[in-house]
């Protein structure tokens, strides 16, 4: 007897739950058997494989992880088909002009808006787009020269992280955040110390001429930073510095499933930056954003399996192919996904990634974010601004009080 779509999905959810429970039991018992799960023409099949006698708990865990990844990749490809029923347009920067201050009447003039600087007025218009669409593109947020230097620096740090984690896998969470185990994809958590890993281990960094990360943050969030007024508008100076990383994908990285970054909240809890450190073309896994899906209504539809596919078919999606130095700022509730970095036509893609938390939202966000543990809750936009001001005035140790962010 055929089942309705909600009944089928409920059956699937129950089955997968039981499947995971069985595998967890195997891990606890160090059982030598393994289960494999396949879905074929709508029918669910499970087979017990007894040929893996002597399988360790680690091997069973790897098997479960591989099965989960394979299922996620199949779903991601299905979602790509659904989104492709409509032509996906490029995410373009909005053509905004700095609005003139409005003249006021009576004593005191135009009030708050009249006293705003041109950049603050522009940020106010940008914030309106973020609130309405869930995402905005900002061209040339970081200079080409600094983008090149920061890319070279983070890829060097990634190479060091790969060597160190190969020696000792248990330290991987020091270097990597929420993308800790993804194939050909990582989010490299960055140190605020000049020299990065060299400073982490107490090495001599006196010969390192520049503090590339601080220079980049200065250009973006310093007193005259390209993104500073917009973040002040969205989270105020009390917004917590919530993430500091670089998202790196390599050729062969699979497409992600469509997702929001965190459980839905009525008030926007987090505003995230992806900044391209090189040109990002369609073969390098650019991010797809589904406009206006950061609302409670759209989130409810996304979580309803009977409506989810239709939502993707009708979505107004945009592809964030970017030029070097361009950025996208997005509400973390918006539906989005990273596309596949093509194994043959793609190349290494590095996106500088940071975010600030909205102080109006209290309690857990349900999302830890990608930042070294010692930096969690350690600073606000105001704190970072003070350190950047000191740095710009010649204090090269302005970030030392925050350390390397590693718990020892």
């Amino acid at each position: 007897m055929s089942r309705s779509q909600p009944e089928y999905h409920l059956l699937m959810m129950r089955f997968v739950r039981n499947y995971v429970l069985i595998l967890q039991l195997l891990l606890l018992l160090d059982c030598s058997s393994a289960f494999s799960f396949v879905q074929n023409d709508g029918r669910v099949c499970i087979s017990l494989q007894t040929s893996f006698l002597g399988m360790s708990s680690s091997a069973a865990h790897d098997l479960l992880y591989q099965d989960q990844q394979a299922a996620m990749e199949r779903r991601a490809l299905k979602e790509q088909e659904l989104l492709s029923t409509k032509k996906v347009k490029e995410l373009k920067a909005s053509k905004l002009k700095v609005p003139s201050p409005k003249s006021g009447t009576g004593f005191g003039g135009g009030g708050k808006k009249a006293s705003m600087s041109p950049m603050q007025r522009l940020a106010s218009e940008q914030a309106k787009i973020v609130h309405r669409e869930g995402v905005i593109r900002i061209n040339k947020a970081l200079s080409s020269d600094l983008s090149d230097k920061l890319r070279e620096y983070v890829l060097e740090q990634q190479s060091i992280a790969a060597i160190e984690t190969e020696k000792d896998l248990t330290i991987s969470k020091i270097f990597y955040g929420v993308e800790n185990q993804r194939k050909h994809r990582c989010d490299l958590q960055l140190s605020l110390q000049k020299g990065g890993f060299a400073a982490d281990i107490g090495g001599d960094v006196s010969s390192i001429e520049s503090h590339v990360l601080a220079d980049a943050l200065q250009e973006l969030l310093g007193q005259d930073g390209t993104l500073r007024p917009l973040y002040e508008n969205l989270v105020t100076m009390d917004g917590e510095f919530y993430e500091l990383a670089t998202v790196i994908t390599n050729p062969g990285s699979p497409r992600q499933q469509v997702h929001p970054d965190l459980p839905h909240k009525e008030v926007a809890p987090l505003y995230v930056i992806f900044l391209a450190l090189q040109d990002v073309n369609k073969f390098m896994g650019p991010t797809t954003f589904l406009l206006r899906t950061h609302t409670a209504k759209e989130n409810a539809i996304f979580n309803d399996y009977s409506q989810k596919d239709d939502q993707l078919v009708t979505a107004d999606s945009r592809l964030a192919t970017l030029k070097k130095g361009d950025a996208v700022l997005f509400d973390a509730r918006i539906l989005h996904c990273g596309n596949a970095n093509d194994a043959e036509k793609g190349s290494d893609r590095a996106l500088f990634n940071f975010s600030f938390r909205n102080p109006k939202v209290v309690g857990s966000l349900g999302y830890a974010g990608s930042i070294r543990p010692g930096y969690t809750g350690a600073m606000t936009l105001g704190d970072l601004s003070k350190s950047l001001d000191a740095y710009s005035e010649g204090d090269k140790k302005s970030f030392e009080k925050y350390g390397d962010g590693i718990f020892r």
Side-chain angles (χ1 to χ4, degrees):
M1 182 176 67
S2 63
R3 297 179 180 269
S4 66
Q5 190 175 22
E7 288 175 329
Y8 175 75
H9 283 296
L10 182 60
L11 177 64
M12 285 288 294
M13 289 173 66
R14 287 174 176 169
F15 177 81
V16 172
R17 179 193 62 190
N18 292 337
Y19 168 63
V20 172
L21 288 173
I22 291 169
L23 280 173
Q24 288 176 335
L25 181 60
L26 285 174
L27 295 180
L28 289 171
L29 298 177
D30 199 18
C31 182
S32 61
S33 300
F35 286 85
S36 64
F37 161 80
V38 295
Q39 180 184 348
N40 185 23
D41 298 327
R43 292 170 294 181
V44 177
C45 307
I46 187 167
S47 63
L48 176 63
Q49 299 176 356
T50 57
S51 59
F52 291 97
L53 296 176
M55 176 182 286
S56 65
S57 296
S58 175
H61 180 275
D62 289 344
L63 177 63
L64 173 59
Y65 174 75
Q66 290 166 13
D67 282 352
Q68 289 173 332
Q69 292 300 301
M72 290 169 65
E73 289 177 25
R74 288 194 297 271
R75 175 59 190 174
L77 291 174
K78 175 63 175 177
E79 291 175 347
Q80 184 176 23
E81 292 178 11
L82 295 171
L83 288 170
S84 298
T85 57
K86 291 174 63 176
K87 183 178 181 181
V88 180
K89 300 176 183 177
E90 180 186 6
L91 179 67
K92 294 185 177 180
S94 300
K95 296 180 180 179
L96 294 175
K97 294 182 179 179
V98 179
S100 301
K102 293 182 179 179
S103 300
T105 57
F107 184 78
K112 182 179 179 180
K113 282 198 173 182
S115 65
M116 293 169 66
S117 71
M119 290 302 294
Q120 288 173 325
R121 295 197 299 274
L122 176 61
S124 179
E125 297 304 307
Q126 291 173 322
K128 291 177 184 178
I129 293 173
V130 176
H131 295 319
R132 182 178 69 247
E133 305 293 335
V135 61
I136 188 171
R137 174 175 176 163
I138 302 169
N139 289 344
K140 299 180 180 178
L142 189 65
S143 65
S144 177
D145 179 57
L146 260 179
S147 296
D148 287 339
K149 290 179 180 178
L150 186 56
R151 186 176 192 273
E152 180 181 3
Y153 169 75
V154 298
L155 292 181
E156 177 187 273
Q157 295 296 299
Q158 183 195 26
S159 297
I160 294 171
I163 294 170
E164 294 303 314
T165 52
E166 187 173 347
K167 294 177 185 175
D168 182 3
L169 190 59
T170 62
I171 67 170
S172 64
K173 288 187 177 181
I174 292 175
F175 295 102
Y176 302 119
V178 294
E179 299 283 5
N180 189 27
Q181 296 185 36
R182 299 297 177 91
K183 184 168 60 177
H184 303 299
R185 181 184 181 92
C186 73
D187 50 344
L188 182 71
Q189 297 176 157
L190 301 174
S191 169
L192 284 169
Q193 301 304 299
K194 184 174 76 170
F197 182 75
D200 293 345
I201 60 174
D204 182 7
V205 296
S206 60
S207 62
I208 299 176
E209 295 182 0
S210 62
H211 191 340
V212 178
L213 181 58
D215 291 340
L217 289 172
Q218 177 70 30
E219 193 168 295
L220 296 166
L221 298 170
Q223 193 66 40
D224 299 314
T226 54
L227 301 177
R228 166 78 168 271
L230 179 53
Y231 263 120
E232 280 193 53
N233 184 291
L234 294 171
V235 303
T236 75
M237 296 298 278
D238 294 326
E240 179 188 335
F241 194 32
Y242 202 76
E243 293 179 286
L244 179 62
T246 301
V247 180
I248 302 170
T249 66
N250 311 112
S253 171
R255 179 187 175 93
Q256 289 181 313
Q257 286 182 257
V258 173
H259 63 280
D261 277 344
L262 37 68
H264 189 81
K265 294 185 180 294
E266 287 301 315
V267 177
L270 194 68
Y271 293 100
V272 185
I273 283 288
F274 282 168
L275 189 148
L277 298 182
Q278 69 291 295
D279 290 354
V280 179
N281 62 39
K282 64 180 181 180
F283 300 112
M284 295 169 66
T287 307
T288 294
F289 292 95
L290 281 59
L291 301 186
R292 299 177 294 281
T293 57
H294 56 305
T295 64
K297 178 182 177 181
E298 291 296 326
N299 182 261
I301 294 172
F302 183 72
N303 288 323
D304 182 345
Y305 288 98
S306 68
Q307 301 184 72
K308 187 173 184 176
D309 286 358
D310 288 340
Q311 180 187 40
L312 298 180
V313 168
T314 58
D316 186 7
S317 54
R318 295 289 187 274
L319 190 66
T321 48
L322 303 169
K323 294 295 184 182
K324 180 170 57 179
D326 293 350
V328 289
L329 183 149
F330 61 96
D331 181 328
R333 300 173 299 176
I334 194 173
L335 298 178
H336 63 284
C337 65
N339 288 278
N341 193 327
D342 190 272
E344 295 182 359
K345 297 181 181 179
S347 58
D348 294 340
R349 185 209 68 178
L351 300 178
F352 186 35
N353 167 223
F354 60 85
S355 65
F356 286 90
R357 175 176 174 157
N358 188 343
K360 293 179 180 179
V361 180
V362 297
S364 173
L365 299 187
Y367 170 73
S370 293
I371 192 167
R372 288 190 170 191
Y375 296 149
T376 300
M379 66 196 96
T380 63
L381 177 57
D383 296 327
L384 185 63
S385 173
K386 291 176 183 178
S387 291
L388 289 171
D389 287 346
Y391 178 75
S392 68
E393 293 170 2
D395 181 1
K396 303 307 179 184
K397 298 182 179 180
S398 61
F399 291 101
E400 282 194 359
K401 61 184 174 182
Y402 297 112
D404 57 23
I406 299 174
F407 288 145
R408 291 180 172 83

